[in-house]
Amino acid sequence: MISKQVETGNFFILQSGRDSPASAVASNPSPPIRRILLVDCDAFYVQVARQVDPEGAGRAPLLIVGGSASGRGVVTSASYEARKHGVHSAMPTAHALRLCPQATVVPVPRDACVGKSREIREALVELAPAVQAASIDEFYLDLTGTERLFHREPLEATAHRIRTEVLQRTGISVSIGGATRRLLAKLATSRAKPAGVHVVPPGSEEAFMATLRLGEIPGVGPALLALLEARGVVTVRDALAVQPEWLRRWLGERRGDWLHGRIRGIDTSEVDPDEERKSISTERTFRSDIADDEELERRLLRMVGSVGTTLRKSGMKARTVTVKLRDPSFRTRQHSRTVPGVLESDAGIHAVARSLLAGLRAEDAGSVRLLGVGLSGLQEDAVEQLGLFGGTTEVESERDRTLSRVVDGIRARFGEDSVRPGRLMGERSPRTDEDDG
Amino acid sequence: MNFTITRQNLHAGLAAVSASIPSKTTLPVLSNILFEARDDSVWMNGTDLDVAVRIKVPADVKEAGSLTAPGKKLQEITRELPDAPVEVATRGDQIELSCGRSRFKLNGLPADEFPTLPSISFDDAWTVKGKDLHSLIHHTSFAVSTEESRPILNGVLWELRDGAMRMVATNGHRLARMSIPAQSSDVPSADFIVPPAALQQVQRLFKDDDTLEVSRDGNHLGFRSGSAEIFTRLIEGTYPNYEQVIPKDNDKKAIVSKKLLESAVRRMAVVASDQTHRIRLTFEDGRVHLSVLTPDLGEGHDELELDYAGEALEIGFNANYLLEVLKYMPTEEVCIAFKAPERAATIEPVASGGDAMDLLCLVMPLRLLD
């Protein structure tokens, strides 16, 4: 059916290496076939923990990173050996230790991880023209247009070469997925893991997709799965056979079209090295659950200071504040608010975050296991809405902004703990009394 | 409790009260309406703890008493009943309705579980005409803040003075102020900061020709007329000094058709940024250019003729603020006045004939950085 359309020059052409019908009818007769790789570190935190502590973590085959031996916190990453016992990331460490009692638990070596991630990125920048860090341990590379440069080396061979190079230079083992689109490269990576390479050749995208389960596709969650399963659609292969009209009827026009493209591996997103930061957030799992409102407010104040500093360091302003709570039964609730102007001071962020926390506590005042604060709607050159009563928003005055900048300056010179809000006076430094899980 | 009531009266009462019932609540009794039958009428009460509504409807009371019962269900049942007398009775905590051959029993809750409504004496009440109050609420309450971070701005400031009353609302970016000569005199001055939800109930339950009694007791305000009463909690605190931010020296004045300006701004807003809604207005001799430029989206330009003779001025606005203010302007033409691009602009109705209205809206501009 599709090949016939290609021959007749029908508008609805779907051809490998082309991302949309529109690009297929563009004046350029054959746009270059894209060559995208996703470099994904194998159990990144585990590898870094072993490098940091070769005598301890380095000698423990059953290794859990994140949380504490007493069982608080959650698993950030686990060694492949520990994973065989059913341990996976985001699982409470206590649960992980029940599954795998012999495992060694070490805290997340945060600073070392950030440094190692930077090292890997620096290595990749020398190997590919466009590198985008998707997270601390995932990097997209776009090698489109490098065919001649690499003497027509097949993408798979390039991937192997990059894998070896990264391992030699950083000591970190990575897995690499390759394809004509970002989404497919990501899905191919799960086939490559651990320590391997998997490339989906141009033209075989749909065949590759047909081997997947629907739940493996990013963006297809439990609710959508249940909805499709009720209509007898369980695998990607099932879904590929469904007419787009039916998907639209079941899911609505937008979601239907989205799924129709998604199951064919269609993804037009670019590898963008300059992609802007979309949010700034921090969260903490407490060593022991907290039910006291005042204590939670103090923790919140401290976390606001942390995201506020990051925000100002990056020269951004934020429009939306989110506060997240997780209770001991792992139920997570969050509230967000977008302010009419922009926020950049700790006082402004705190005013919004505090009322969000109060709202969450009003719904349920039980014990809290984890608290998180996030800033989003980040803008660099924010358009300033002038305010009637001074300041550009209701919650933040010019004085608040100046104060935050001055405090940042003092901290930069004399250290993090040189200036603190009065409510946090006499407390120990955040890192010593909290679990980082 | 046992009373007989016409279907129309029961339905009218329930409809009036159930709008004050919260749709979601953690306190089950708040989903209920409290019935109090005595003498020759039934009082129906509903509240969300911030605002309370009480309605009296005539009924033939055979046995006085009280009970709470689910408001929405009763309203739905009553809507479907035939036009015949309805007998309402209680048995324990159940309410029983019979009308023609229809019979219903609904589970209620004892009356003493219902929150006690504030008792406000109307002995020394202010009297206000419904029409005046409605006009003030309509033209100002849209401007209240919905942000919770500065609660004082979540209310409408209502100033009662000898011979005049005024309402003011603002979210810190745009403001609406309206004054009306008050009929009554010899009343003490008073300022209230009233939640808009209460004012909405006032608009809904009282008619233009009603004469309302208004009374305050501590932190509560009560409105009463005929068979309806509304009580509300007042917002505590000091309202910001709004007079100080209203510019007195805005000398660049443009007179423009409200309808034409509204539709031009609305067109520009389509292409404005979803986050800032920024549009740009350039006033020149006899015309205004409207433009919008949004990175990653595109641009738009428009032009209107108007009455403007001041020097050229370029000013940025959040299109939504401008549209909101224009929406509540009661005249065909409006006067927009400026001083400078980073100072508040004022918008006032231009009255044709004698019906001048003391309404003033104020919009703070967006700083144009480029």
Side-chain angles (χ1 to χ4, degrees), chain A residues 337 379 384 388 394-395, chain B residues 147 149 171-172 275 362 367:
Chain A
R337 183 174 313 132
Q379 308 179 346
E384 261 187 286
L388 279 167
E394 297 159 50
V395 282
Chain B
E147 273 291 303
S149 42
N171 70 346
Q275 295 199 323
L362 192 152
R367 184 171 282 158

Side-chain angles (χ1 to χ4, degrees), chain B residues 112-186:
Chain B
D112 55 15
E113 284 190 23
F114 199 78
T116 315
L117 301 189
S119 62
I120 294 181
S121 146
F122 285 90
D123 291 348
D124 300 310
W126 292 269
T127 52
V128 183
K129 283 169 82 180
K131 190 179 172 200
D132 290 348
L133 201 51
H134 289 168
S135 181
L136 286 176
I137 296 170
H138 174 75
H139 290 101
T140 58
S141 62
F142 73 91
V144 294
S145 168
T146 50
E147 273 291 303
E148 284 163 41
S149 42
R150 205 165 164 189
I152 201 86
L153 299 186
N154 296 144
V156 177
L157 172 68
W158 183 15
E159 299 177 338
L160 280 162
R161 298 284 180 275
D162 194 7
M165 59 178 183
R166 168 181 279 186
M167 276 191 190
V168 181
T170 180
N171 70 346
H173 300 307
R174 46 119 172 77
L175 175 147
R177 181 196 74 183
M178 183 173 168
S179 306
I180 276 184
Q183 307 301 315
S184 59
S185 56
D186 295 334

Side-chain angles (χ1 to χ4, degrees), chain A residues 391-406:
Chain A
T392 53
T393 65
E394 297 159 50
V395 282
E396 184 172 282
S397 68
E398 199 51 50
R399 195 175 152 270
D400 294 333
R401 295 176 171 217
T402 313
L403 182 66
S404 281
R405 284 185 214 128
V406 170

Side-chain angles (χ1 to χ4, degrees), chain A residues 278-284 299-301 303-304 307-308 311 318-326 332-339 343 348-360 370-378:
Chain A
K278 291 196 175 76
S279 66
I280 293 170
S281 62
T282 182
E283 53 183 53
R284 298 236 171 240
R299 303 290 178 132
L300 182 81
L301 180 60
M303 292 165 77
V304 163
V307 289
L311 178 77
R319 301 194 66 238
T320 305
V321 181
T322 303
V323 172
K324 176 163 113 178
L325 287 184
R326 183 173 295 153
T332 307
R333 299 177 295 133
Q334 63 175 49
H335 281 184
S336 296
R337 183 174 313 132
T338 301
V339 298
L343 295 166
I349 300 165
H350 184 240
V352 179
R354 206 177 150 191
S355 80
L356 291 172
L357 177 65
L360 284 164
L370 171 146
L371 174 66
V373 182
L375 303 173
S376 52
L378 304 185

Side-chain angles (χ1 to χ4, degrees), chain A residues 58-97:
Chain A
R59 286 166 188 252
L62 293 169
L63 183 64
I64 292 172
V65 181
S68 63
S70 64
R72 292 297 299 182
V74 290
V75 177
T76 301
S77 184
S79 65
Y80 285 99
E81 291 85 344
R83 288 182 197 192
K84 283 181 192 147
H85 290 78
V87 177
H88 58 77
S89 56
M91 168 186 277
T93 306
H95 185 195
L97 281 171

